[in-house]
Amino acid sequence: MPAITLTTLQSLKQKGEKIVMLTCYDATFAAAANAAGIEMLLIGDSLGMVLQGHDSTLPVSVGDIAYHTASVKRGNQDALIVADLPFMANASLEQTLLNSAELMRAGAHMVKVEGAGWLAEPIRQLADRGIPTCVHLGLTPQTVNVLGGYKVQGRSEAQARQLRADAIALEQAGAAMLLLECVPSDLAAEISQSVSIPVIGIGAGSGTDGQVLVLHDMLGLSLTGRTPKFVKNFMAGQPSIVEALRAYTQAVKAVTFPAPEHEFSA
């Protein structure tokens, strides 16, 4: 496939074709994902749990993300690479700018940052400096201690109203993409339609512009044995990992994943 750019993603949204995103942490899986037609690779702070064995994403450092971003870049040909700003890497505007620059130098095409509408000014500053951003809304794992656990967000009218307002404010500030995690499917679809930038979902239903899963989850690998509701094991019945990745890509494109059993209601 041709190299994926922000223009590509915007075109896919306008055409109504779903965007396929997957976490990735090394060169070998990056090459496999390319072969399967996956359009975006996310070096997520999820590596703290699935690679490092922590019980949360909080111990992950910018150095960890930069190392794995550089590894993914070496195996990647066509996908757009997104790198996470980990816990407290955006504690100040200066840290946000410096840490984002480090991830871009490591090979990212975009940085992802968790938060809400308060990120508008940092997003504006990054955009002015040529760094595209994806803002992660809804269930934000870096703030799990404030949220009181891994809970669906946006079920109350007040929460839903705030999520809608944040999405619009962040687009206006210059965000290139949004990611909604564990948000009721109707609300996620409404937000996706209310902004012109692509919206990627995880546990947010099929009405978003694309989907992302954690690589290890969609291959049926788990340290805990617990599978989130929004996950499907695409390795089941497939002869190889590349074929499992292709099955995931095809299911997202055909809008057969996520199915109703993977979604949350208000």
Side-chain angles (χ1 to χ4, degrees):
M1 65 183 179
I4 302 298
T5 67
L6 290 177
T7 303
T8 311
L9 301 178
Q10 198 66 49
S11 176
L12 291 173
K13 177 179 175 106
Q14 291 168 354
K15 292 189 297 184
E17 181 178 339
K18 300 297 184 180
I19 299 164
V20 187
M21 186 181 196
L22 187 68
T23 67
C24 188
Y25 315 100
D26 63 37
T28 301
F29 272 101
N34 278 197
I38 291 169
E39 290 143 340
M40 302 182 71
L41 300 178
L42 169 64
I43 296 83
D45 58 5
S46 51
L47 68 86
M49 302 172 80
V50 299
L51 298 188
Q52 297 174 339
H54 298 299
D55 61 3
S56 77
T57 65
L58 302 189
V60 177
S61 69
V62 174
D64 292 334
I65 299 290
Y67 171 87
H68 287 281
T69 299
S71 298
V72 168
K73 179 177 173 57
R74 296 185 194 106
N76 180 60
Q77 294 293 321
D78 306 314
L80 189 142
I81 297 173
V82 184
D84 250 340
L85 279 174
F87 180 62
M88 292 299 284
N90 63 322
S92 69
L93 178 58
E94 182 181 12
Q95 285 177 302
T96 303
L97 297 176
L98 292 174
N99 290 329
S100 296
E102 180 175 348
L103 297 183
M104 296 294 282
R105 283 192 292 268
H109 303 116
M110 179 189 293
V111 297
K112 182 171 80 66
V113 57
E114 292 186 16
W118 59 267
L119 283 169
E121 184 55 30
I123 297 306
R124 189 175 292 108
Q125 295 272 0
L126 288 168
D128 287 346
R129 289 160 175 78
I131 298 179
T133 54
C134 170
V135 185
H136 185 152
L137 301 172
L139 172 57
T140 48
Q142 291 173 17
T143 58
V144 66
N145 291 308
V146 173
L147 297 175
Y150 296 95
K151 300 177 180 179
V152 178
Q153 302 297 303
R155 277 183 160 154
S156 73
E157 182 49 44
Q159 283 186 338
R161 186 165 54 247
Q162 189 62 58
L163 275 172
R164 292 186 201 100
D166 287 347
I168 292 169
L170 290 163
E171 178 186 23
Q172 291 173 345
M177 188 167 71
L178 301 176
L179 189 152
L180 299 178
E181 179 170 358
C182 290
V183 171
S185 55
D186 288 348
L187 174 61
E190 180 186 340
I191 291 172
S192 301
Q193 293 163 10
S194 70
V195 296
S196 62
I197 56 177
V199 178
I200 307 299
I202 177 168
S206 61
T208 55
D209 302 307
Q211 299 294 325
V212 63
L213 283 177
V214 171
L215 171 67
H216 296 63
D217 286 346
M218 59 83 63
L219 292 177
L221 300 172
S222 171
L223 284 173
T224 65
R226 297 190 300 270
T227 302
K229 177 181 179 178
F230 53 78
V231 169
K232 178 178 177 178
N233 178 3
F234 285 91
M235 191 69 223
Q238 298 297 332
S240 69
I241 287 173
V242 171
E243 289 305 315
L245 300 181
R246 284 199 181 105
Y248 167 61
T249 301
Q250 291 164 2
V252 172
K253 292 289 186 183
V255 202
T256 58
F257 176 83
E261 62 264 27
H262 303 118
E263 300 182 359
F264 298 103
S265 58

